Amino acid sequence: MQDPQNEMLTLGLAEAQALAEAALRHAGIAQEAARMTAEALVLAEADGLSSHGLARLPFYLAQVHAGKVNANAHVQLHTRGACVRVDADHGFAFPAVSQGLEVALERVRELGVVLLAIGRSHHFGVAGHPVERAARAGVLAMAFANAPAAIAPWGGHTPLFGTDPVAFAAPRAAAPPLVIDLSLSKVARGKVMLARQQGQPIPADWALDVHGQPTTDAQAALAGSMLPAGEAKGAALALMVELLTAGLTGSHFAFQASSLFDAEGPPPSIAHTVLLVDPTFFAPGFVERAELMFNAIQAQEGARLPGSRRWALRAQHQREGIGITRALYEALLPGPARA
């Protein structure tokens, strides 16, 4: 017999937004920050990226209650020419990223290129979302974020780098933006966590144990390190991201950051960087020219543009709603029902 707590419930996106926002407000998060954070998590669900969706919220709430996330964070912005620097004040990343991006998008129209750097922050969420927002405004964007340590330097076995997402988006004339969104581990760490929960083995080329040996044991993999995408090249890219994010903002490098999956320790204090480029300054007609490349890709049988699955899932979930377990639903209800 199925555990009733594993029963799947279907929620409309507006209902899911209200549930998440109420849970955050009940934890003491200010209204606008709660709205932005809930919106980001629900959009992740809509895009089929549930590892970055509502399942994160119980961890978020526990961290607020423990003081690991600053419920009263005051986002501070500093600008100089083409530079926008944001201090997230150990609050959730989404309000800091949104406010910084708003200013950066205004400046890029005038300056052509803008660098946005957000420090003392928290979980970046779906890296493709802020670059998508920029691309919908007609701007090319590339984002980087660091995360708590999960990848060892190539040849080593102690994690020093995060799984460190990298995302890129380009505007299109008559279609959703091109969005490329990936992490620098060979597979998402969430897949290993899921295998552990289900008591399933993992492929031997996903991770190393604490001794630096390939393992099929998910628990040993989580105690060890994830293998980088592209082997030595992926590890080098992760180092690059660490320097472009934590290094540039004075935030924690991956090996200094506390976990995003428990309420122990100090704030993770990680960082994010977004590079914005106005393509019309460099090459008028960029959007039309880019379609030449996109059409050439789509003309090949079996080929598709990155991100196309995301748009299909988003449209489906907008129509049909999203599924979450009864256990998660009840955990997000405010008040005594949460117990």
Side-chain angles (χ1 to χ4, degrees):
M1 179 180 292
Q2 183 185 24
D3 184 342
Q5 292 296 291
N6 291 329
E7 176 191 357
M8 295 302 295
L9 306 178
T10 300
L11 304 181
L13 297 189
E15 184 181 4
Q17 170 76 23
L19 176 69
E21 193 170 335
L24 288 159
R25 293 286 288 134
H26 187 263
I29 302 299
Q31 184 170 351
E32 189 65 4
R35 182 191 65 78
M36 291 181 179
T37 301
E39 191 174 75
L41 298 178
V42 172
L43 186 57
E45 293 282 353
D47 288 357
L49 301 169
S50 56
S51 63
H52 287 56
L54 295 176
R56 292 268 180 169
L57 195 45
F59 298 110
Y60 285 13
L61 298 173
Q63 289 168 25
V64 172
H65 290 304
K68 191 171 178 175
V69 171
N70 183 1
N72 300 305
H74 177 62
V75 175
Q76 298 181 47
L77 283 83
H78 307 272
T79 60
R80 188 176 71 188
C83 302
V84 180
R85 178 166 55 89
V86 180
D87 181 348
D89 193 24
H90 299 310
F92 289 121
F94 308 109
V97 172
S98 182
Q99 291 177 47
L101 196 56
E102 183 177 357
V103 173
L105 286 171
E106 291 173 357
R107 288 182 167 247
V108 76
R109 294 299 186 195
E110 174 189 355
L111 300 171
V113 176
V114 169
L115 185 67
L116 165 64
I118 302 108
R120 297 206 309 158
S121 190
H122 193 257
H123 180 227
F124 192 45
V126 176
H129 287 162
V131 294
E132 177 193 340
R133 174 179 166 185
R136 290 188 182 277
V139 174
L140 286 167
M142 179 174 284
F144 309 93
N146 79 327
I151 297 176
W154 191 248
H157 60 271
T158 300
L160 293 183
F161 314 138
T163 52
D164 293 2
V166 176
F168 170 83
R172 298 188 65 189
L178 171 79
V179 175
I180 298 170
D181 187 350
L182 51 90
S183 72
L184 294 178
S185 55
K186 188 165 187 178
V187 299
R189 201 160 186 253
K191 290 187 176 182
V192 180
M193 291 182 175
L194 183 60
R196 181 186 64 177
Q197 291 170 359
Q198 296 176 343
Q200 298 293 322
I202 61 172
D205 62 348
W206 280 14
L208 306 176
D209 64 19
V210 293
H211 304 293
Q213 299 301 311
T215 182
T216 59
D217 184 313
Q219 181 60 46
L222 291 172
S225 63
M226 301 294 296
L227 281 167
E231 301 182 336
K233 296 177 182 177
L237 288 172
L239 172 58
M240 178 191 77
V241 171
E242 292 289 333
L243 295 173
L244 284 172
T245 55
L248 200 58
T249 62
S251 302
H252 283 164
F253 290 118
F255 66 89
Q256 299 172 306
S258 61
S259 174
L260 295 172
F261 291 101
D262 62 42
E264 305 299 319
S269 194
I270 51 180
H272 335 293
T273 304
V274 184
L275 176 66
L276 303 174
V277 179
D278 181 359
T280 63
F281 175 83
F282 294 95
F286 167 86
V287 171
E288 292 73 22
R289 280 182 44 77
E291 290 300 319
L292 296 175
M293 173 63 78
F294 302 152
N295 290 337
I297 293 169
Q298 293 174 308
Q300 293 194 22
E301 185 177 354
R304 63 180 178 85
L305 292 178
S308 55
R309 179 175 176 272
R310 177 176 299 195
W311 310 131
L313 285 171
R314 187 180 295 184
Q316 176 186 338
H317 290 134
Q318 286 171 341
R319 294 190 308 269
E320 302 174 4
I322 59 172
I324 68 169
T325 64
R326 178 175 293 279
L328 178 56
Y329 177 81
E330 292 181 353
L332 299 183
L333 293 174
R338 179 181 291 165

